[in-house]
Amino acid sequence: MSSCFTISLSLLFFFVNFAGTESAPTFLRHYCPNTTLFTPNSAYQFNLNTLLSSLSSAAADTADGFANATVGQNPPDQVYGLFLCRGDVNTAMCSDCVATGKQDILQRCPNRRMSVIWYDECMLRYSDGFIYSVMEPVPSFTMYHTENISDPTWFMQVLRETMDNITARASVGKSGKKVAVAEANFTSFQNLYTLAQCTPDLTESECSTCLQAAIEGLPQGKQGGMLFTPSCITRFELYQFYNASAMAALVPLPSNLPSPPALVTRRKGPIGTGFSPKSSAKEHPCGEGAVSGPQGLLRWKLY
C-alpha cells in the first residue's frame, strides 16, 4: 500500500471549523494496513481494549492534549498507544474526540495490530511496536480545496515564509505543546492562517524535520490544504480555523522573539520554488509586523 495519499475536498475545510466546535469530531482519515492482524478474543485484543480505555480516560484528565500508554508485559501481546489533540482545543473537545476515536478505530480497522485515525481535532494511534519518541513521517495524507488561489506566486511565497516561521516555533515547544500558528495578511482583503504541530515526545530536531517534510508536500496554489502524518501536521486556510485566543494564552510571545525571516531565495520543492524578492522585515513589540512584497505590505501576527 502506498504511504502517501491525496484527497481533494472542496467543502470539507469550510465546515470543519464549525463542525469541530459544536458537534461530533470531524473525521479525516484512517490508516490500518492488512499486513498485521490479531486473533479475535486474544490477549492482544484484551490489551488493546484496555489501552484505548486508558487513553480515553487520560484525555479527560489532562490539559496537555497528549498522552501515551502501554499495556501488556511481553510481545506479541504488548500494545503501545498515544493520542494528540490539536493545540487550540480545550480538554472537553479533546476528550470527546479521543472517546470517539476509541470506538471508531476498532470499527474502521477491525483486528489490526496497528492503526491510526485522524480527526480535525485529534489523532489516535496504537501499534504492537514501540512508537514513543519515534518520528514517523509516513503514512502521510494530503487534503486540499479544489479552488485555486489568485496570484499563486505571491501566495506560495507568503505561505513558505509563514510555515518556516511556525515550524521553528513549534519545534521548540516552549509551552509544553509543540504547536504554533500564525496569521498573515497577504492582500488588502485576504488573510492566510497557518498551523504546525508535532507530538511533544519528539525532539526539536525531529519535529522540525517532520514539519519541513510536510511543508514540502503541501498543495500548491490552493485556497487551503493540510498534510498530516502520525508525528506532525501542517495546515493553511483563508479563514481562521483555530481558536486564536486559546493559542495566544497557550504560547505567550517572549519579548526577545526574533522577527520572521526576510523573504529570500529558498530551496526548490513543492513550496520552496526559489523566489528571491527584495524585501525586508521589522519586529513589532506585540508580536506583529510587516514585510514588503509585490502585493504591498504583508502583515503578520504570531501566536
Side-chain angles (χ1 to χ4, degrees):
M1 175 181 285
S2 173
S3 61
C4 298
F5 301 82
T6 299
I7 303 174
S8 173
L9 299 176
S10 60
L11 297 179
L12 173 65
F13 291 131
F14 179 81
F15 291 107
V16 152
N17 191 41
F18 304 100
T21 57
E22 297 182 357
S23 61
T26 305
F27 172 77
L28 298 179
R29 185 79 192 195
H30 66 276
Y31 174 73
C32 40
N34 288 320
T35 53
T36 54
L37 302 174
F38 64 78
T39 303
N41 302 315
S42 63
Y44 189 87
Q45 182 176 30
F46 176 82
N47 290 340
L48 174 58
N49 291 336
T50 303
L51 173 88
L52 294 176
S53 294
S54 175
L55 291 174
S56 183
S57 297
D61 295 333
T62 179
D64 295 334
F66 174 82
N68 57 43
T70 305
V71 176
Q73 297 299 317
N74 300 296
D77 299 326
Q78 196 169 36
V79 56
Y80 304 86
L82 61 82
F83 70 83
L84 175 69
C85 289
R86 204 177 69 207
D88 63 309
V89 305
N90 58 35
T91 301
M93 186 184 299
C94 178
S95 176
D96 183 48
C97 185
V98 176
T100 300
K102 168 191 169 184
Q103 304 297 329
D104 208 10
I105 198 169
L106 296 177
Q107 296 175 4
R108 294 178 183 272
C109 302
N111 302 331
R112 302 305 202 279
R113 294 183 67 89
M114 62 174 293
S115 301
V116 190
I117 191 166
W118 291 268
Y119 299 86
D120 183 47
E121 299 82 5
C122 75
M123 178 269 296
L124 174 67
R125 63 179 299 208
Y126 69 84
S127 176
D128 57 357
F130 192 79
I131 60 175
Y132 311 145
S133 302
V134 177
M135 184 192 67
E136 298 194 40
V138 293
S140 66
F141 297 91
T142 304
M143 306 180 78
Y144 60 87
H145 290 277
T146 56
E147 293 84 358
N148 294 324
I149 195 72
S150 59
D151 196 351
T153 299
W154 171 238
F155 179 79
M156 298 308 293
Q157 177 180 318
V158 174
L159 178 60
R160 163 59 82 176
E161 295 301 326
T162 308
M163 282 294 186
D164 282 352
N165 182 277
I166 62 174
T167 290
R169 293 189 291 115
S171 299
V172 174
K174 289 185 178 296
S175 69
K177 296 182 177 182
K178 290 186 179 294
V179 61
V181 298
E183 170 188 342
N185 173 223
F186 71 97
T187 73
S188 59
F189 58 90
Q190 280 187 315
N191 287 348
L192 171 67
Y193 301 89
T194 59
L195 177 146
Q197 184 172 8
C198 295
T199 57
D201 57 336
L202 299 183
T203 66
E204 179 179 344
S205 175
E206 289 169 338
C207 179
S208 178
T209 298
C210 188
L211 290 174
Q212 288 292 346
I215 291 170
E216 295 295 342
L218 286 172
Q220 295 190 67
K222 299 298 182 179
Q223 291 189 10
M226 66 189 302
L227 188 147
F228 47 94
T229 78
S231 292
C232 66
I233 181 173
T234 56
R235 182 176 175 184
F236 67 94
E237 301 288 352
L238 297 184
Y239 65 89
Q240 188 171 288
F241 60 92
Y242 52 80
N243 185 327
S245 298
M247 288 302 303
L250 175 66
V251 191
L253 286 171
S255 58
N256 62 344
L257 180 72
S259 58
L263 302 179
V264 296
T265 303
R266 292 287 179 180
R267 59 188 178 281
K268 293 183 178 181
I271 292 183
T273 50
F275 303 117
S276 55
K278 298 182 182 298
S279 60
S280 61
K282 180 182 292 185
E283 182 180 358
H284 190 282
C286 295
E288 300 182 12
V291 177
S292 59
Q295 297 294 330
L297 203 62
L298 163 61
R299 298 192 180 277
W300 50 266
K301 182 182 295 184
L302 306 178
Y303 299 94

